[in-house]
Amino acid sequence: MAQRLAAVVHGAVQGVGFRYYCALQARALGLQGYVHNRADRRVEVVAEGPRAQLEQLLSWLYEGPSMAQVSSVEVSWLAANGEFDCFEVRH
């Protein structure tokens, strides 16, 4: 059964390849959704798929790519609604 992970990543997470590497990770896990740089310098991630794969993505979000400095992650678990057919980087 698919679920939805909605996360907002805080810290030095823009300008360090966070969106690119997040998308690679999510696609490798077979997830659908998006990653987006917010105007407030945080990164928003919405992903749908099996809970186990979403938890793997969430673990990655706490680390990010090597140049990132993640200070915290806001997490919400919701019911999936199937609106995505891939995982994309939104601009």
Side-chain angles (χ1 to χ4, degrees), residues 9-89:
V9 185
H10 300 250
V13 292
Q14 290 192 15
V16 294
F18 199 99
R19 290 179 301 160
Y20 173 80
Y21 288 106
C22 178
L24 285 181
Q25 184 73 18
R27 291 171 186 152
L29 292 167
L31 301 173
Q32 294 80 43
Y34 67 88
V35 59
H36 169 72
N37 277 350
R38 293 170 43 148
D40 60 9
R41 309 279 309 151
R42 296 182 288 173
V43 172
E44 177 182 13
V45 179
V46 176
E48 290 189 353
R51 178 73 181 229
Q53 283 85 344
L54 291 170
E55 288 179 358
Q56 289 179 35
L57 179 62
L58 179 58
S59 292
W60 183 88
L61 293 177
Y62 280 100
E63 299 296 321
S66 62
M67 296 291 290
Q69 294 178 348
V70 176
S71 59
S72 64
V73 181
E74 296 174 43
V75 179
S76 298
W77 292 99
L78 307 160
N81 64 18
E83 70 180 280
F84 309 113
D85 58 0
C86 65
F87 195 93
E88 65 182 1
V89 174

